[in-house]
Amino acid sequence: MSETPLQRYYADLHIHIGRTEKGDPVKISGSRNLTFAQIASEASDRKGIDLIGIIDCHSPGVQTDIKNSLDKGDMKELDEGGISYGRTTILLGSEIEIREPGMGPAHLLVFFPHLYMMEEFTGWMSKRMKNVGLSSQRLHAPALSLQEEVTARGGMLIPAHIFTPHKSIYGSAAPRMSDVLDLSQVSAVELGLSADSEMAGYLSELDEFTILTNSDAHSLGKIGREYNEMALQSPNYSEFEKALARSEGRRVTANYGLNPRLGKYHRTYCSGCQSIIDEQGITVQRCSYCGSTKLTRGVLDRILSIADREAPMVPAHRPPYHYQVPLEFIPGLGKAKLGLLLGAFGTEMNILHRVPTQELAKVVGAELATAIGEARSGTMQLIAGGGGTYGKVQKV
């Protein structure tokens, strides 16, 4: 009997939960309508994303919500790992903060195939964490012991938004990931909104790793602002694990992300004069405009300061990185016109990837259809972000 052929699926593996169904907080900065069930509905019905990672599933309140959805028959746990809802499979994840002695904090993502595994992991963390019910909490245990626990329990560990100035491996913890983690127990790395795969090519220790681009969504609308295309037999945990390992033909076939200039921390920001320092190749200690040392080091500038290569080298296994402006960034495309597009074409993935621009023009006019085409191709003119402020699409 022949094996099922591989197909292409869209995946966003970093989505937060704001509240439980009872209204208890999980991610304090997340929207109240970011519940487990509503995330599943948004991803399946509106976004058209096939595989999503909800990374607050360690919370006991969230686990109660998951069980309720399973008991009602709205969702089904898959033998291959993950929970099925509509067209979408949900992977059960957790975001955890570590802090090694003498280093700054860093966030890590952990995934497990089945709910009972996540529940057991919650039991382990609850003895080493102040409030296991909340998102992204500090784990009071060595990073290596966390890796050992995750691996022994059949899970995967992925460093989150690795270059972000606040709470990331390279941005705030250490100049090398090997200073913090056992690289043999790292399944992949997540870039974050202010970096792309070419920027990662400045660091040779990243060459072996599969790269992910995810939304880190704190609201329903942000789901899918960055995502991945994967070659899988079907969307489930087992296939996802193979894709990260680039095994049996499974792999990440494309990364879709914001141009790093749209990210909140792409360039260095001066809080003294509120300026984004956007000169190419600069690694500053003082603001070039006012002389202040009150700087938030931008992702690009941080990478250049710790690079072990003079020029980036992108490994052959690394897929193309497509700069794509999310629909919400496009000037003039408000809720009403986006609603018209969704009514006509179903999902945001259809609008961004499959519908010809001439068909889009029939619904929202030639000007907006052209803008969506530029968003697809990454040819829009952009103003760089920094210091916690997103970049912007430059209006013509």
Side-chain angles (χ1 to χ4, degrees), residues 261 267 276-284 288-289 300-301 304:
R261 293 174 65 82
R267 297 313 305 256
I276 292 172
I277 303 171
D278 192 27
E279 284 97 32
Q280 185 65 33
I282 192 169
T283 54
V284 297
S288 54
Y289 302 124
L300 175 59
D301 305 309
L304 294 176

Side-chain angles (χ1 to χ4, degrees), residues 150-226:
V150 171
T151 301
R153 294 173 184 276
M156 292 186 288
L157 183 140
I158 300 169
H161 44 70
I162 55 174
F163 297 119
T164 304
H166 308 291
K167 301 183 178 180
S168 75
I169 290 292
Y170 293 112
S172 56
R176 294 290 175 265
M177 186 161 59
S178 56
D179 295 338
V180 188
L181 299 171
D182 176 357
L183 299 188
S184 70
Q185 296 185 73
V186 172
S187 296
V189 295
E190 178 191 71
L191 284 178
L193 302 182
S194 296
D196 59 20
S197 53
E198 182 177 3
M199 291 164 68
Y202 279 103
L203 299 174
S204 59
E205 77 171 351
L206 290 175
D207 288 354
E208 66 183 279
F209 294 105
T210 294
I211 277 178
L212 296 173
T213 46
N214 299 315
S215 68
D216 195 357
H218 288 50
S219 65
L220 290 175
K222 293 291 192 293
I223 295 172
R225 64 178 167 182
E226 295 208 347

Side-chain angles (χ1 to χ4, degrees), residues 115 165 232 245 247 293 296 373:
L115 180 57
L232 311 170
S247 172
T293 58
T296 299

